[in-house]
Amino acid sequence: MNKLYPSTKFAFVALVIIISMFAPGYYLQYSLFIFILLLSLLSRKFIPFLSIFFKSIFWGLAFIFIFQVLIIRNPDSQRLWWIFAYSKMGLESSLLMTSKIAAISSAIIYFFQVTEVKDINHAMEKSGVPKKVTFVIASTIQLIPQMSNLSKTISDAQRSRGIETEGSIIVRMKSFFPMIAPLVLSSIQQTEERVLTLESRAFSSKRKKTAFYKLDKTKADYFLTLLFLIILAGFIIWRNR
């Protein structure tokens, strides 16, 4: 998947989203989740994939599961202890919800794990997307990693000056507020530098630009895109029977 064209990877993500949203039950969705785990393993992105998934998605899924199964009252709820009561209806509902979230979120995470931002930019520009739209999308994708790296740099600088940044929650909260001002100011400075860089590269020019970086579709891209369309058509026919 690493060497495929970005639009091919996006077609795969779109297919997973459509199937996950409209397929009945939860077996197919969890099967897609396991399939994406295997893809991340084959792409040598398994550890980063799991790291992002557990940090961003897993705890939300766990909260939904616990809330639906043990807290929300249903006609078949059986009291366990205090406010907790087991419900088989809640279990089925939680599996339906979490399966869709797990499949869709894992596909999106995997897409950004195996697709570089420059490849996305190149593919969008090649497909005729306006430069300003391409820049906004690329900046949005890079915003969180840039802010995270910048916050780590500021935290290291504060730690070198004797400010405590590790320990209890109260200590971390105290170190968080002094970090906000330099983080905001650094972001503004980077924005100004980015504007100057774009102007130096004739970003606002209407002439057609050339690029040293090339990324072309291969036979595998065309084959997989056709395969995804066939699977989608088969899924639509199956759902409408």
Side-chain angles (χ1 to χ4, degrees):
M1 288 290 284
N2 299 55
K3 298 180 180 180
L4 294 176
Y5 199 75
S7 61
T8 307
K9 302 174 190 177
F10 183 78
F12 170 73
V13 174
L15 179 64
V16 171
I17 292 173
I18 293 172
I19 292 177
S20 300
M21 289 294 295
F22 298 105
Y26 49 83
Y27 291 105
L28 183 58
Q29 287 86 342
Y30 279 123
S31 299
L32 288 172
F33 174 68
I34 295 172
F35 177 69
I36 293 172
L37 282 177
L38 293 175
L39 284 179
S40 66
L41 183 62
L42 294 174
S43 304
R44 297 179 181 178
K45 299 289 184 179
F46 187 70
I47 300 301
F49 175 87
L50 283 183
S51 176
I52 295 175
F53 183 82
F54 275 96
K55 288 179 181 177
S56 58
I57 307 298
F58 175 77
W59 296 110
L61 298 180
F63 175 79
I64 293 172
F65 187 84
I66 294 171
F67 203 80
Q68 287 284 337
V69 177
L70 299 176
I71 297 179
I72 292 181
R73 291 292 185 268
N74 293 296
D76 65 336
S77 294
Q78 300 176 3
R79 184 178 177 82
L80 297 176
W81 174 72
W82 194 32
I83 62 171
F84 302 108
Y86 172 76
S87 170
K88 189 174 181 181
M89 292 176 60
L91 177 62
E92 290 291 324
S93 177
S94 65
L95 289 173
L96 286 172
M97 293 176 62
T98 55
S99 63
K100 296 179 187 297
I101 297 172
I104 293 172
S105 61
S106 61
I108 295 173
I109 292 172
Y110 179 69
F111 173 78
F112 287 106
Q113 285 284 307
V114 297
T115 310
E116 295 186 14
V117 177
K118 64 177 181 179
D119 293 342
I120 299 174
N121 289 346
H122 185 79
M124 288 192 297
E125 290 177 358
K126 198 171 181 179
S127 61
V129 178
K131 292 181 293 184
K132 293 182 179 179
V133 176
T134 303
F135 175 72
V136 170
I137 294 174
S139 300
T140 304
I141 295 172
Q142 293 176 322
L143 179 62
I144 295 177
Q146 287 177 349
M147 295 292 287
S148 177
N149 294 331
L150 186 59
S151 64
K152 289 179 181 178
T153 303
I154 295 172
S155 178
D156 291 339
Q158 289 181 337
R159 193 181 301 112
S160 66
R161 294 171 183 172
I163 300 176
E164 293 185 7
T165 58
E166 297 179 353
S168 63
I169 297 177
I170 297 175
V171 173
R172 293 184 181 183
M173 288 180 64
K174 288 180 179 179
S175 64
F176 174 75
F177 290 105
M179 190 188 299
I180 295 177
L183 184 63
V184 173
L185 293 175
S186 298
S187 300
I188 295 173
Q189 183 181 0
Q190 286 185 355
T191 303
E192 294 177 353
E193 293 175 354
R194 192 176 293 112
V195 171
L196 293 174
T197 303
L198 290 173
E199 289 301 323
S200 66
R201 296 179 180 179
F203 179 78
S204 58
S205 176
K206 296 182 180 180
R207 293 186 178 183
K208 186 177 180 180
K209 291 182 173 59
T210 57
F212 290 105
Y213 183 74
K214 289 186 178 182
L215 184 66
D216 298 318
K217 288 187 176 182
T218 62
K219 292 181 180 179
D221 291 296
Y222 291 107
F223 172 76
L224 288 174
T225 303
L226 179 60
L227 178 63
F228 296 153
L229 290 173
I230 293 173
I231 294 174
L232 178 60
F235 176 75
I236 293 172
I237 294 171
W238 173 66
R239 287 294 292 148
N240 291 329
R241 288 181 61 183

